[in-house]
Amino acid sequence: MSQTAILNVDNIHKKYNEDKPNEVYVLKGIDFIIPPGQMTAIMGPSGCGKTTLLNLIGGLDPTSGGDILIEGNSIIAMNDSELTNFRRDNVGYIFQLFNLFEDQTSVENVSLPLLLPLVPTNEAITKAEMLLAEVGLGDRFNDLPGSLSGGEQQKVAIARTLVTSPRIILADEPTGDLDIATSDDIMALFRRMQEENQGMAVIIVTHSSRIAHQCDRIIRIENGKVFSDEVVN
Ligand SMILES: Nc1ncnc2c1ncn2[C@@H]1O[C@H](COP(=O)(O)OP(=O)(O)O)[C@@H](O)[C@H]1O
Ligand SMILES: [Mg+2]
């Protein structure tokens, strides 16, 4: 390999309730390599294991076989505390429902990830305000999530993910609850953020072919395997 891949998913298997009567064999050998700077859509029928796959890549759930490397580092080989630190520094997660703290303002929500590794508060707030301005919420710093629209809440969630400059963003149906115009707006934002964060990879699970075709590549999962993998842009 001439340059290190951002992500290498190598023959990943996943069974829930392994070796029990209620075992579910979800992923049966998934392989793909994501180069720096690629925006990838993951598609596939409901229940095919898209969320499962993101959770494995994010190190939130153990695999049943295979390897996952992020910039050449195997997350399978890490112990819990190594994994927690690695995840905090390298992986950003965005969900369909925005998972903001309802009793905290935009700035408080976005600065939170910086306060965990103990960045001084004023520095964290300055960075949070900068990112909120970049996502177009420069006038909503002190709003609580309840007073923002769904699209605006998702932008706060994206700013919160970007505040730690992750190498890889995992987004699970991030536009699933949003209308078309707002979804396009969120996709444009991902694209802009990716250009600003050199090499950052973005992986988006979506049911929308409109969203998928704004990505660089579409990987389709079916029956536990990669059904198709095509470059679209
Ligand atoms: N914690 C779990 N325990 C047992 N089965 C699970 C668990 N999480 C997901 N599953 C099963 O794994 C399969 C894949 O689920 P999921 O990854 O959520 O699919 P998708 O995101 O593609 O809709 C489904 O059959 C689901 O019921
Ligand atoms: Mg899912």
Side-chain angles (χ1 to χ4, degrees), residues 46-47 49-52 96 172-173 205 207:
S46 214
K50 303 178 297 296
T51 294
T52 297
Q96 177 171 1
D172 198 353
E173 304 193 40
V205 167
H207 285 288

Side-chain angles (χ1 to χ4, degrees), residues 1 15 19 39 44 53 57 76-78 86 121 123 155 164 168 194-196 200 230:
M1 255 185 296
K15 295 171 180 167
D19 299 329
M39 190 178 292
L53 179 62
I57 295 168
I76 305 297
M78 292 180 192
F86 186 81
T121 307
E123 230 176 84
K155 288 179 184 177
T164 52
I168 180 162
Q194 197 175 34
E195 278 159 15
E196 284 172 21
M200 181 175 79
E230 49 174 342

Side-chain angles (χ1 to χ4, degrees), residues 35-50:
Q38 193 167 64
M39 190 178 292
T40 306
I42 307 263
M43 301 189 81
S46 214
C48 74
K50 303 178 297 296

